[in-house]
Amino acid sequence: MLPFSRFEARTILKLSGPIVLAQLTQTLMYFVDTVMAGRVSATDMAAIAVASGLWLPVVLTMQGLLLALTPIIAQYYGSQQTKPISHFTLQGLYLAMLLAAVLFVVMLFADLPLARLNMDPLLREKTIDYLFYVSFGLFPAAGYMVMRNLFEGLGNTKASMWIAFVGILVNVPANYIFIYGKLGMPALGGAGCGVATSLVFLAMFVAMLVYGYTSRSTRPYRHWPEKLWLSVKDQWQIIRIGTPIAFSIFFEVTLFACIPLVIVHLGPIVVAGHQVAHNYSAIVFMLPLSLGLATTIRVGHLVGQQNVMALKKAISTAIVLSVAMSLLTVIFTLLFRGYVAALYSPDPAVIALASSLLILAAIYQFSDAVQVVAACALRGMKITKPVFFITLISYWPIGFGLGAVLGLTNWLVKPMGVFGFWTGIIIGLTCAAIALAIVLRKQINRIEHAFKTGTAA
């Protein structure tokens, strides 16, 4: 790869800036949910943590499959083809609504896996209530994801930023009303966050539609596609590219989100402490993730232009930027971890445990920075299968499997509890970063050869 490029740095940062704000704002909503529920009780906070073990994999897997639209649209945009963009957007909407309907039915049976867990009855009740309310947000969430992928594929990343601000403006008052029972509503505690989340997705989808009909960036595409019916061929292209992305996200999300389900028998304090560290990690992860999403867009445009020299510069520059940002994150986390933990909960036991876990969270920032940019660069090339296999092996057999051995057994050391799982996460993400970097280099060489010989698809 070529060294750091100031031009590519400016281009990627310009794309990623609004994405950072959008991602941080959306993660801030989850932070608000956790904090406001935590002010009710540790059980309410733990309910959100346990519910997230089921809800987040579902919604993020749907998002991952629909993310196939971004490189598809970006490559058409880079090659200056406009007609396929509106066509694939419509096909994405068809697929999104079908996915939402299937997942909605699945969520109605969320009580079945929870019934098999050894958990406090009140905690189980609050978890099931949250999942019931939040499942109604799947349909507007699916529509919002399609529209966001359209805008980002066109290089307009400001849309998601402005719409995310709409979401947070709805989230805070809605949480206040339904958690604490204001304006005549029942006090639902942590389950009220589920109602608020559904309302947030609805508001964001409506706002995105309004933005789409008024934005200059979509003016060339504001027309009905020539074919309005569902295209099996193009649906399959979205599914073929998106399914490995969906499962890659699923493997990473469940690596974190399933831990509360496994350690729930250790009590609400341990689950709440893990939730604090996990939530904070999700917030700081938005920095390298946003650079990665911007890299997907930039790579898609450059592949469409068949500009391999700029492609190399863009990818190497994105990795350098991501690692540099992670260094700042590590320093901040180590210096202020106690203050961060205190923001989430007034409980001294939760603060003490979370502060210790945040040290481990800081360690894997560098590996996470490399792996997310490498994965997103491959996604921009519409290369997703290798990412699927790498994340599957790195996150589960290595990350979760080793974490379970260290945390719950005495096979290698004395049981480390939740600390064992976080140690497994560090090792798993490091393996993923190394493997993805190797695959990325090989794929860049392959694309360069294809462009030179005229065999690129």
Side-chain angles (χ1 to χ4, degrees), residues 400-429:
F400 192 86
L402 181 59
V405 170
L406 295 175
L408 303 178
T409 75
N410 58 1
W411 296 351
L412 300 177
V413 295
K414 292 182 179 180
M416 298 170 63
V418 68
F419 293 95
F421 283 96
W422 280 80
T423 302
I425 289 171
I426 293 172
I427 297 172
L429 289 178

Side-chain angles (χ1 to χ4, degrees), residues 306 446-456:
Q306 297 194 4
R446 183 190 66 81
I447 287 180
E448 182 177 16
H449 176 74
F451 287 164
K452 288 181 178 179
T453 59
T455 58

Side-chain angles (χ1 to χ4, degrees), residues 225-283:
E226 295 179 356
K227 299 179 181 180
L228 297 179
W229 56 84
L230 188 147
S231 169
V232 175
K233 177 183 177 182
D234 294 327
Q235 289 283 323
W236 174 246
Q237 181 178 352
I238 298 173
I239 294 172
R240 178 177 56 83
I241 298 173
T243 298
I245 300 175
F247 278 105
S248 298
I249 293 176
F250 176 82
F251 296 144
E252 183 170 4
V253 171
T254 51
L255 176 64
F256 291 93
C258 285
I259 292 176
L261 304 179
V262 180
I263 64 173
V264 68
H265 66 282
L266 300 177
I269 296 298
V270 175
V271 175
H274 164 77
Q275 178 66 7
V276 170
H278 175 211
N279 183 256
Y280 173 78
S281 298
I283 292 175

Side-chain angles (χ1 to χ4, degrees), residues 280 284 287 322-337 358-369:
Y280 173 78
V284 298
L287 293 174
S322 186
V323 172
M325 287 187 176
S326 294
L327 176 61
L328 297 177
T329 299
V330 169
I331 295 172
F332 177 85
T333 303
L334 294 177
L335 291 177
F336 300 103
R337 64 185 187 277
L358 285 173
I359 297 176
L360 297 179
I363 294 175
Y364 74 72
Q365 295 301 316
F366 296 112
S367 297
D368 224 9

Side-chain angles (χ1 to χ4, degrees), residues 287-325:
L287 293 174
L289 175 61
S290 298
L291 282 173
L293 294 175
T295 303
T296 296
I297 299 168
R298 183 60 178 160
V299 167
H301 291 171
L302 294 173
V303 170
Q305 298 169 13
Q306 297 194 4
N307 189 341
V308 71
M309 187 66 67
L311 177 67
K312 290 181 176 181
K313 290 181 179 180
I315 293 174
S316 60
T317 299
I319 292 175
V320 171
L321 288 173
S322 186
V323 172
M325 287 187 176

Side-chain angles (χ1 to χ4, degrees), residues 39-363:
R39 298 299 171 182
V40 178
S41 71
T43 300
D44 285 88
M45 179 188 286
I48 293 179
V50 175
S52 297
L54 297 174
W55 161 252
L56 285 180
V58 167
V59 72
L60 291 179
T61 299
M62 178 173 68
Q63 179 182 358
L65 195 149
L66 297 175
L67 274 173
L69 290 170
T70 299
I72 291 173
I73 292 172
Q75 290 192 19
Y76 280 122
Y77 179 81
S79 60
Q80 298 182 343
Q81 301 182 60
T82 59
K83 288 185 178 180
I85 291 177
S86 57
H87 171 73
F88 272 97
T89 301
L90 180 62
Q91 297 301 315
L93 282 171
Y94 289 153
L95 181 59
M97 291 302 115
L98 177 61
L99 286 171
V102 172
L103 294 175
F104 178 80
V105 174
V106 172
M107 292 295 291
L108 294 179
F109 297 93
D111 59 316
L112 296 180
L114 291 174
R116 298 179 176 274
L117 298 178
N118 179 22
M119 58 191 300
D120 179 78
L122 180 60
L123 176 58
R124 181 185 293 111
E125 179 184 350
K126 289 180 178 291
T127 301
I128 292 173
D129 288 344
Y130 176 93
L131 291 171
F132 173 76
Y133 294 128
V134 80
S135 63
F136 289 94
L138 282 168
F139 295 97
Y144 163 77
M145 291 170 190
V146 172
M147 296 302 297
R148 175 174 176 172
N149 291 333
L150 165 64
F151 280 110
E152 294 186 352
L154 299 176
N156 180 356
T157 56
K158 292 183 179 179
S160 56
M161 176 186 72
W162 293 117
I163 304 308
F165 291 154
V166 172
I168 195 66
L169 290 176
V170 173
N171 187 55
V172 175
N175 267 340
Y176 181 72
I177 292 171
F178 291 101
I179 290 177
Y180 303 111
K182 305 298 181 179
L183 300 181
M185 296 293 106
L188 300 176
C193 296
V195 180
T197 299
S198 291
L199 293 175
V200 165
F201 280 130
L202 178 61
M204 292 172 68
F205 179 46
V206 172
M208 188 65 88
L209 289 176
V210 173
Y211 189 96
Y213 277 105
T214 58
S215 172
R216 291 182 180 179
S217 64
T218 57
R219 185 174 297 169
Y221 318 102
R222 286 204 296 267
H223 57 79
W224 287 104
E226 295 179 356
K227 299 179 181 180
L228 297 179
W229 56 84
L230 188 147
S231 169
V232 175
K233 177 183 177 182
D234 294 327
Q235 289 283 323
W236 174 246
Q237 181 178 352
I238 298 173
I239 294 172
R240 178 177 56 83
I241 298 173
T243 298
I245 300 175
F247 278 105
S248 298
I249 293 176
F250 176 82
F251 296 144
E252 183 170 4
V253 171
T254 51
L255 176 64
F256 291 93
C258 285
I259 292 176
L261 304 179
V262 180
I263 64 173
V264 68
H265 66 282
L266 300 177
I269 296 298
V270 175
V271 175
H274 164 77
Q275 178 66 7
V276 170
H278 175 211
N279 183 256
Y280 173 78
S281 298
I283 292 175
V284 298
F285 178 64
M286 293 304 103
L287 293 174
L289 175 61
S290 298
L291 282 173
L293 294 175
T295 303
T296 296
I297 299 168
R298 183 60 178 160
V299 167
H301 291 171
L302 294 173
V303 170
Q305 298 169 13
Q306 297 194 4
N307 189 341
V308 71
M309 187 66 67
L311 177 67
K312 290 181 176 181
K313 290 181 179 180
I315 293 174
S316 60
T317 299
I319 292 175
V320 171
L321 288 173
S322 186
V323 172
M325 287 187 176
S326 294
L327 176 61
L328 297 177
T329 299
V330 169
I331 295 172
F332 177 85
T333 303
L334 294 177
L335 291 177
F336 300 103
R337 64 185 187 277
Y339 298 101
V340 170
L343 289 175
Y344 286 86
S345 174
D347 191 321
V350 174
I351 293 173
L353 179 60
S355 297
S356 299
L357 290 175
L358 285 173
I359 297 176
L360 297 179
I363 294 175

